[in-house]
Amino acid sequence: MLSRIVIIIAFMPLFLRAQISQECGYKMSAAQLLQHYARVQAVPTLLPHDTCLHRELSLVFHIVLDSTGQPGVSVASLDACVNQLNSVWKPICVSFKRCSVNYVPDYNYNQWKDVIHEPTFFPNYFVDNTIDIVLVDNIVTPSGASGYAATMSHIVMNKSALGGTTPIHEMGHLFGLPHTFVGGTELVRRNNCYSAGDGFCDTEADCYPAGNNVIGHCDFIPGPKDANNDFYTPPLDNYMTYFKSCRCRFTQEQYNFMVYTYLTAGGTQLH
C-alpha cells in the first residue's frame, strides 16, 4: 500500500467570512517546505516542458453510511466529480476513472478524526495501487477542514464538498502542490519566487490570510503590501488558493510539478 466577496456593502461581511474560513487540512512543515523548493527547482532539468503522462488512474470511493444506512451522495455525483477532474488534468494527459464504490457501514467514521480513524480505516478499506477517496459527513480533525490529502495516496473529504472545487484542490495536493500562500514572504515582483511562497514563479504572491478583500464575484480590493511596498494581488483564480468561488486554473509550473511528483513520488505504481 502506498504511503500515504448600497446591497453589496450590506452582504460583504458574510461573503468575506466564507472566503477566509479554513478549508483544507493539508500542512507542510518548515523542513518539508525547503524540500519542496528544492524539488521545484529540479523540475526544469529533469523534464521536458509540457510533458504528457498518458495515464489513466483508478479512483476508489469509500462512502461512510449514516446511522440509517444512507450514503448521502449519489453515484451520479461521483461521476460528475470524476468528469471535472478529467477536464482539469487533461493538459498533462492524465485521466481518472471510477474503479469502484465501497459503502462503509460503520457510521462512527462520519465524524472523522484523522489521528483516531486513519489507523483503523486505512488497513481495512484501502485498495493498493489506486487513489482512495474517503467521503464522510464531517471532518472533525484536522479542525475546520473540508478535505485533506496525502501525496500520491488518498483524499479524505466532506460529502458536502463533492460538488465544488474542493476535489480539484485536494487532488492538487495529492499531486504534490502546496497552497499558494504557503511560505508567506514571497514578494509581489516575485524576485524570490523559487524560495518563498509556493515556490512557483508563475503564481502571483499570495498574502493569505491578510487582506482577503473580495467583493462581487472575484474582485480583489488591494490592501496589504510586501516588503517593497508593493500591493499584493493574489491569484484568486488558482485552484490552490482558499478563494473557492473564484478557482478555475492551474499554472504551467504547477502542471509540470504534478508530472514530476507523479514520476518521483510513487505515482507510477498507480493504475
Side-chain angles (χ1 to χ4, degrees), residues 178-200:
H179 293 122
T180 53
F181 52 82
V182 72
T185 56
E186 184 176 3
L187 300 173
V188 171
R189 300 177 193 178
R190 289 175 263 183
N191 314 64
N192 61 342
C193 54
Y194 283 131
S195 59
D198 61 2
F200 303 116

Side-chain angles (χ1 to χ4, degrees), residues 30-42:
Q32 290 172 329
L33 187 57
L34 290 175
Q35 292 174 355
H36 169 72
Y37 292 151
R39 288 169 58 81
V40 170
Q41 293 176 59

Side-chain angles (χ1 to χ4, degrees), residues 6 17 39-40 51 84 110 146 148-149 160 189 196 208 225 230 250 257 268:
V6 183
R17 281 196 296 271
R39 288 169 58 81
V40 170
T51 300
Q84 186 181 40
N110 268 318
S146 57
Y148 67 91
S160 60
R189 300 177 193 178
Y208 182 91
K225 298 180 180 181
D230 292 322
F250 286 126
F257 189 75
T268 56

Side-chain angles (χ1 to χ4, degrees), residues 2-3 55-62 82 85 89 94-100 125-134 148-156 167 170-175 262 266-267 269-271:
L2 296 177
S3 59
R55 293 290 185 273
E56 182 181 60
L57 306 180
S58 297
L59 305 179
V60 176
F61 290 92
H62 305 275
V82 174
L85 292 171
W89 264 261
V94 168
S95 63
F96 304 90
K97 66 177 179 180
R98 173 172 57 82
C99 179
S100 63
Y125 294 106
F126 273 19
V127 179
D128 288 345
N129 304 320
T130 67
I131 296 174
D132 292 276
I133 301 179
V134 183
Y148 67 91
T151 303
M152 287 293 116
S153 176
H154 64 269
I155 294 170
V156 179
E170 297 305 336
M171 191 64 76
H173 285 317
L174 186 140
F175 274 81
Y262 174 88
Q269 299 179 55
L270 299 173
H271 57 70

